[in-house]
Amino acid sequence: MSQQSWQKLVEWPLFIAAVLFLAAYSWEVIGDLHGPEAVFAESVIWGTWALFALDYVVNLALAEDRPRWFVRHLLDLAVVVLPVLRPLRLLRVVTILTVIGRTAGAMLRGKVILYAAGASVLLVYVAALAVLDAERGNGGSIESFGEGLWWAFVTITTVGYGDFFPVTPTGQLVAVGVMVGGIALIGVVTGTLASWIVERVSETNEAEQVATKAHIDTLTEEIRALREEIRQRA
Amino acid sequence: MSQQSWQKLVEWPLFIAAVLFLAAYSWEVIGDLHGPEAVFAESVIWGTWALFALDYVVNLALAEDRPRWFVRHLLDLAVVVLPVLRPLRLLRVVTILTVIGRTAGAMLRGKVILYAAGASVLLVYVAALAVLDAERGNGGSIESFGEGLWWAFVTITTVGYGDFFPVTPTGQLVAVGVMVGGIALIGVVTGTLASWIVERVSETNEAEQVATKAHIDTLTEEIRALREEIRQRA
Amino acid sequence: MSQQSWQKLVEWPLFIAAVLFLAAYSWEVIGDLHGPEAVFAESVIWGTWALFALDYVVNLALAEDRPRWFVRHLLDLAVVVLPVLRPLRLLRVVTILTVIGRTAGAMLRGKVILYAAGASVLLVYVAALAVLDAERGNGGSIESFGEGLWWAFVTITTVGYGDFFPVTPTGQLVAVGVMVGGIALIGVVTGTLASWIVERVSETNEAEQVATKAHIDTLTEEIRALREEIRQRA
Amino acid sequence: MSQQSWQKLVEWPLFIAAVLFLAAYSWEVIGDLHGPEAVFAESVIWGTWALFALDYVVNLALAEDRPRWFVRHLLDLAVVVLPVLRPLRLLRVVTILTVIGRTAGAMLRGKVILYAAGASVLLVYVAALAVLDAERGNGGSIESFGEGLWWAFVTITTVGYGDFFPVTPTGQLVAVGVMVGGIALIGVVTGTLASWIVERVSETNEAEQVATKAHIDTLTEEIRALREEIRQRA
């Protein structure tokens, strides 16, 4: 069995596992669960973990150039073998984005914006969960999911009022992820708007439009017609 | 009656209703009205609400593909049926921007900047109103219109000192809107400057100018002349 | 005398007046002057004010389309007739930038960056002066020029720690100017880097280079040679 | 001996000296050394300083146009003659970046991103060291390396919560460097994404692709074939 066919096979199961994991983790963190409910949520979380670990092992076994695959997927390894880093487990949610991105096909400008917006909302939600999990009861100021959401929005947009901020190392690690996401978000929004403005400006004056392949094709047709004419006259 | 002709008909009445609404709401919030004056301001606000609700219903009735129109205008629905979300009512002011944008015609670079600047100023004003309405008397730090304006400027530019920040859920919802507006604002400014710099740089060295449709047209003329010459000689 | 020749005549005197004004104002604010020294500094400030007022009046008198010039230079009017807005007087310093920009000639990418860097440094210096002038002794936290400079840097880069922030309306007006400058600064840096990266990327693969006027010129030469050949054979 | 051959000769020794310097400085600052260990670390730091000073002197001696070289390398001079500015010594680490950049060869988009990411991580690390060195024991809030790292991340992404900020002039100088680095970082990320989006958008519609040198070459081939044909028929 090739690596491609395995990846195709597990694409949707992994997607569903990631959604299940997100649901169980959300329930556990937001509900601040204890007793049998916490045990159940934890079971789901560890079950999806097992699926991701299995996927990692099978991928490694099937890879054509195993050392190269290993080096290029160190992040995947970290996510699988470091479940002590509780918030990092949320990186599995990236699977959701990958699947959505693949079905999106060609990347038109509108889709880039939609994808960036979707990824930002998912990042804010996941970061609010992770920071709440890390900070609650550890002396930080973030004590409810609402506060976590508010903190994540204030951070991803790089506003940073300072009314809430993480104080635990895990929470600060989550924050760095959100900040980097914020920079990328600004980059995507800006880049898309820039490409749109450049196009809009060039449209207003036809003679100053950038020459496109269509223009060159017209020219080539002209030359071919000339050639044909010479051939007939000769 | 088609949907287009209805929209054309109500364009200006809706614009005036939005301006009236903004004036009445500003008066009510900044003046912190009570008694008969508050009743009058509220009457104007609900009157304009009725006009927007009517517009929504007529649009839905006239739409060619009703389910599709419904799905694509969920925001309009939310604005109409959730008047309990007081600050969200300010979204009606978007009507003002739409009308201005339509009369602007083709989007030249200067107009993009002017439009972005105008939209930012309107956003700051509206956000200051909405946050003051939500926060005043609810334990927040924003207690006057001046403080609201200052907070909106600090937030839209993503500076975020943290001297003022919303603490109520409604106020935080307004803040998220302002932050998203700030990111878009940075994007528009950056994109416009980038397109201007790219153009300026290419102008300084004529031979390295990007080929335009005008250049291709010159070339095509050259080939046509050649064809004509061959024809005459044959 | 035409408006152009007047503007050419007073370009350098106004530049020197702006530098003198900046020096006197810096001395007065940083030194926290009282007594005869303050009187002297104020005299220089009012002397340069007189020169700018004279320039405004002469420009208005010489303008071909007076009402249009008036509408387009409302900012100049505000600076001249509102000397009560002490910090706004610093807008005169814009004259320095205009002169430097004019001598810079064609705007190459390196010059855009240099100009933006210079304007940013000037803005930081001027904002530190203006905010100190507005805040000192009015209950704000900015009490020394060093604190003003630090505050201006933290604000123009949109970091906004919140350790210092203006509390007076005038100081907040200055802050809004610095924030807008910060957004423009990010835009210029980003735009210049984007245009550089686009160029660099296209250089790495020659066949994928964007077609330039030079390429089109080569092609035109080819066609002219063909025409010449046909003429000689006929 | 020419300046080029000298620079080639000392490229790797300087790189190793910069790494050694960074290691010794890190050890001294993070370990808060005293006694013989501090003496040893300081010796390494001064030893590498001597190497950089030597490099400066030899470069100045070998330069073809000595005054021009002097003016263009004022920063190098400052770093060499101002070892009192302890944090500025870290500028030597720029040598590491130069060497990495040179071996990177042509700047493809992926490499620009990798380089920017690497430079940002190095900047964060170095800034955390420098700010800790400047602030510890001087009444500031940054008292451990972890806090320094957290502060540097919060600053370079322009979030600026305000939970930690420098209060000494040296620390604030370091902060300004980090902020400027943050602006440049946003610029590089945005510019790269913009160039990628522009390319991606143009790929989706082949006829609207920008004309490239490859297209022009195809056209030129067409004309040459025509010319050849005419020659053979004549």
Side-chain angles (χ1 to χ4, degrees):
Chain A
M1 188 185 208
S2 77
Q3 202 180 2
Q4 269 76 25
S5 53
W6 166 261
Q7 283 178 351
K8 195 146 196 168
L9 191 75
V10 296
E11 188 175 344
W12 282 99
L14 281 182
F15 178 75
I16 291 161
V19 171
L20 269 180
F21 164 74
L22 190 57
Y25 190 64
S26 303
W27 186 40
E28 194 191 3
V29 172
I30 299 177
D32 204 4
L33 299 186
H34 295 287
E37 282 173 328
V39 171
F40 177 70
E42 275 293 308
S43 311
V44 174
I45 289 170
W46 283 100
T48 58
W49 175 82
L51 226 145
F52 277 87
L54 176 72
D55 176 58
Y56 182 82
V57 170
V58 174
N59 261 306
L60 189 59
L62 293 176
E64 281 176 34
D65 186 346
R66 220 165 289 171
R68 202 179 161 216
W69 193 90
F70 180 78
V71 170
R72 292 200 155 205
H73 294 78
L74 280 176
L75 186 68
D76 293 18
L77 180 66
V79 172
V80 167
V81 301
L82 297 173
V84 276
L85 290 175
R86 284 171 59 99
L88 269 193
R89 296 190 300 196
L90 284 163
L91 280 175
R92 268 171 237 166
V93 173
V94 172
T95 317
I96 299 178
L97 286 178
T98 323
V99 170
I100 294 170
R102 224 169 286 171
T103 59
M107 278 295 213
L108 291 166
R109 200 153 43 209
K111 286 196 180 154
V112 171
I113 284 280
L114 261 185
Y115 192 74
S120 302
V121 168
L122 193 61
L123 179 57
V124 163
Y125 178 79
V126 156
L129 274 185
V131 91
L132 181 60
D133 193 17
E135 296 281 308
R136 189 164 47 193
N138 288 319
S141 50
I142 302 167
E143 295 286 337
S144 76
F145 185 62
E147 288 174 358
L149 272 181
W150 169 243
W151 164 83
F153 265 115
V154 169
T155 301
I156 203 175
T157 54
T158 79
V159 170
Y161 289 123
D163 49 348
F164 297 103
F165 46 81
V167 294
T168 61
T170 327
Q172 292 179 341
L173 206 69
V174 172
V176 168
V178 175
M179 290 169 200
V180 170
I183 298 280
L185 169 66
I186 294 178
V188 168
V189 170
T190 302
T192 311
L193 282 167
S195 104
W196 179 80
I197 289 169
V198 167
E199 205 169 86
R200 218 68 201 290
V201 166
S202 90
E203 268 168 14
T204 54
N205 185 342
E206 215 198 289
E208 281 181 13
Q209 268 179 30
V210 165
T212 64
K213 192 165 170 298
H215 295 146
I216 299 277
D217 287 350
T218 316
L219 198 57
T220 312
E221 278 312 301
E222 194 76 18
I223 292 173
R224 284 209 183 112
L226 167 63
R227 207 164 158 185
E228 195 55 37
E229 215 162 299
I230 291 175
R231 226 173 258 163
Q232 289 172 350
R233 274 162 211 275
Chain B
M1 189 186 209
S2 77
Q3 202 180 1
Q4 270 75 24
S5 51
W6 166 260
Q7 283 178 351
K8 197 145 194 169
L9 191 75
V10 296
E11 189 175 343
W12 281 99
L14 283 182
F15 178 75
I16 290 160
V19 171
L20 269 180
F21 163 74
L22 190 57
Y25 190 65
S26 302
W27 186 40
E28 194 190 4
V29 172
I30 299 176
D32 203 6
L33 298 187
H34 295 286
E37 283 173 328
V39 171
F40 177 69
E42 275 294 309
S43 311
V44 174
I45 290 170
W46 283 100
T48 59
W49 174 83
L51 225 145
F52 277 85
L54 175 73
D55 175 59
Y56 182 83
V57 170
V58 174
N59 262 306
L60 189 60
L62 294 175
E64 281 177 33
D65 186 346
R66 219 166 290 171
R68 202 181 160 213
W69 192 90
F70 180 78
V71 170
R72 293 202 153 203
H73 294 78
L74 280 176
L75 186 67
D76 294 17
L77 180 66
V79 172
V80 166
V81 301
L82 298 173
V84 274
L85 290 175
R86 283 170 60 100
L88 269 192
R89 296 190 299 196
L90 284 164
L91 280 175
R92 267 171 238 166
V93 173
V94 172
T95 317
I96 299 178
L97 285 177
T98 323
V99 169
I100 293 170
R102 223 169 288 170
T103 59
M107 278 295 213
L108 291 165
R109 202 154 41 210
K111 286 195 180 156
V112 171
I113 285 280
L114 261 185
Y115 192 73
S120 303
V121 168
L122 193 61
L123 179 57
V124 163
Y125 178 79
V126 157
L129 274 184
V131 93
L132 181 61
D133 192 17
E135 296 281 309
R136 189 165 44 194
N138 288 319
S141 50
I142 302 167
E143 295 286 338
S144 76
F145 185 60
E147 288 174 358
L149 271 182
W150 168 243
W151 165 83
F153 265 116
V154 169
T155 301
I156 204 175
T157 54
T158 80
V159 170
Y161 290 123
D163 48 348
F164 297 102
F165 47 81
V167 294
T168 61
T170 327
Q172 292 179 341
L173 206 69
V174 172
V176 168
V178 176
M179 290 169 200
V180 170
I183 298 280
L185 168 66
I186 295 179
V188 168
V189 169
T190 302
T192 311
L193 282 167
S195 105
W196 179 80
I197 289 169
V198 166
E199 205 170 88
R200 219 64 201 291
V201 165
S202 90
E203 268 168 15
T204 54
N205 186 341
E206 214 198 290
E208 280 181 12
Q209 267 180 31
V210 166
T212 64
K213 193 166 169 301
H215 295 146
I216 299 276
D217 287 350
T218 316
L219 198 57
T220 312
E221 278 311 302
E222 194 76 17
I223 293 172
R224 286 213 182 108
L226 168 62
R227 208 163 156 184
E228 195 57 37
E229 215 163 296
I230 291 175
R231 227 174 258 163
Q232 288 171 350
R233 274 162 211 276
Chain C
M1 189 184 210
S2 77
Q3 201 179 2
Q4 269 75 24
S5 52
W6 167 260
Q7 283 177 352
K8 197 146 193 170
L9 190 75
V10 295
E11 189 175 344
W12 282 99
L14 281 182
F15 177 75
I16 291 161
V19 171
L20 268 180
F21 163 73
L22 191 56
Y25 190 64
S26 302
W27 186 42
E28 193 191 5
V29 173
I30 300 177
D32 205 4
L33 298 186
H34 294 288
E37 284 173 326
V39 171
F40 177 70
E42 275 293 310
S43 310
V44 174
I45 290 170
W46 283 100
T48 59
W49 174 82
L51 225 145
F52 277 85
L54 175 73
D55 175 59
Y56 182 84
V57 170
V58 174
N59 261 306
L60 189 60
L62 294 175
E64 280 175 34
D65 186 345
R66 219 166 289 171
R68 203 180 159 213
W69 193 90
F70 180 77
V71 170
R72 293 202 154 205
H73 294 78
L74 279 176
L75 186 67
D76 294 17
L77 179 65
V79 173
V80 166
V81 301
L82 297 173
V84 273
L85 290 175
R86 282 170 60 98
L88 269 192
R89 296 191 298 195
L90 284 163
L91 281 175
R92 268 171 238 166
V93 173
V94 171
T95 317
I96 299 179
L97 285 177
T98 323
V99 169
I100 294 171
R102 223 169 288 171
T103 58
M107 279 294 213
L108 291 165
R109 202 154 41 212
K111 286 197 178 153
V112 170
I113 284 279
L114 261 185
Y115 192 73
S120 302
V121 169
L122 192 62
L123 178 58
V124 163
Y125 178 79
V126 157
L129 274 184
V131 91
L132 181 61
D133 192 17
E135 296 281 309
R136 189 165 45 194
N138 288 319
S141 50
I142 302 168
E143 294 287 337
S144 76
F145 185 60
E147 289 174 357
L149 271 182
W150 169 244
W151 165 83
F153 266 115
V154 168
T155 300
I156 203 175
T157 54
T158 78
V159 170
Y161 289 123
D163 49 349
F164 296 103
F165 47 80
V167 294
T168 61
T170 328
Q172 293 179 339
L173 206 69
V174 172
V176 168
V178 175
M179 290 169 201
V180 170
I183 298 280
L185 168 66
I186 294 179
V188 168
V189 169
T190 302
T192 311
L193 282 167
S195 104
W196 180 80
I197 289 169
V198 167
E199 205 171 88
R200 218 67 201 291
V201 165
S202 90
E203 269 168 14
T204 54
N205 186 341
E206 213 197 290
E208 282 181 10
Q209 268 180 31
V210 165
T212 64
K213 194 168 168 300
H215 294 147
I216 299 277
D217 287 349
T218 316
L219 198 58
T220 312
E221 278 311 303
E222 194 74 19
I223 293 171
R224 288 213 180 107
L226 168 63
R227 207 164 156 184
E228 195 57 38
E229 215 163 299
I230 291 174
R231 228 173 256 160
Q232 288 172 351
R233 273 165 210 275
Chain D
M1 189 183 207
S2 77
Q3 201 179 3
Q4 270 75 25
S5 52
W6 166 260
Q7 283 178 351
K8 196 145 197 170
L9 191 74
V10 295
E11 188 174 346
W12 282 100
L14 281 182
F15 178 75
I16 291 161
V19 172
L20 269 179
F21 163 74
L22 190 57
Y25 190 65
S26 302
W27 186 40
E28 194 190 5
V29 173
I30 299 178
D32 204 4
L33 299 186
H34 295 289
E37 283 173 326
V39 172
F40 176 71
E42 275 294 309
S43 310
V44 174
I45 289 170
W46 283 100
T48 59
W49 174 82
L51 226 146
F52 276 86
L54 176 73
D55 176 58
Y56 182 83
V57 170
V58 174
N59 261 306
L60 188 60
L62 294 175
E64 281 176 31
D65 186 347
R66 219 165 289 171
R68 202 180 161 215
W69 192 90
F70 180 79
V71 170
R72 292 202 155 204
H73 294 78
L74 279 175
L75 186 68
D76 294 18
L77 179 66
V79 173
V80 166
V81 301
L82 297 173
V84 274
L85 289 176
R86 283 171 59 98
L88 268 193
R89 296 191 298 195
L90 284 162
L91 280 176
R92 268 172 238 166
V93 173
V94 171
T95 317
I96 299 179
L97 286 177
T98 323
V99 169
I100 294 170
R102 224 169 286 170
T103 58
M107 279 295 214
L108 291 166
R109 201 153 42 209
K111 286 195 180 155
V112 171
I113 285 279
L114 262 185
Y115 192 74
S120 302
V121 169
L122 193 62
L123 179 57
V124 163
Y125 178 79
V126 156
L129 274 184
V131 91
L132 182 60
D133 192 17
E135 295 282 309
R136 190 165 44 194
N138 289 319
S141 50
I142 301 168
E143 294 287 337
S144 76
F145 185 61
E147 288 174 358
L149 272 181
W150 169 243
W151 166 83
F153 265 115
V154 168
T155 301
I156 203 175
T157 54
T158 78
V159 170
Y161 289 123
D163 48 349
F164 297 104
F165 46 80
V167 293
T168 61
T170 327
Q172 292 179 340
L173 205 70
V174 172
V176 168
V178 175
M179 289 169 201
V180 171
I183 298 280
L185 169 66
I186 294 178
V188 168
V189 169
T190 302
T192 312
L193 282 167
S195 104
W196 179 80
I197 289 168
V198 167
E199 206 170 86
R200 218 66 203 291
V201 165
S202 90
E203 269 168 14
T204 54
N205 186 341
E206 214 198 289
E208 281 181 12
Q209 268 179 30
V210 166
T212 64
K213 193 167 169 298
H215 294 147
I216 299 276
D217 288 349
T218 316
L219 198 58
T220 312
E221 278 313 301
E222 194 74 19
I223 293 172
R224 285 211 183 109
L226 167 64
R227 206 165 158 186
E228 195 55 37
E229 215 163 298
I230 291 174
R231 225 172 259 162
Q232 287 172 353
R233 273 164 212 274

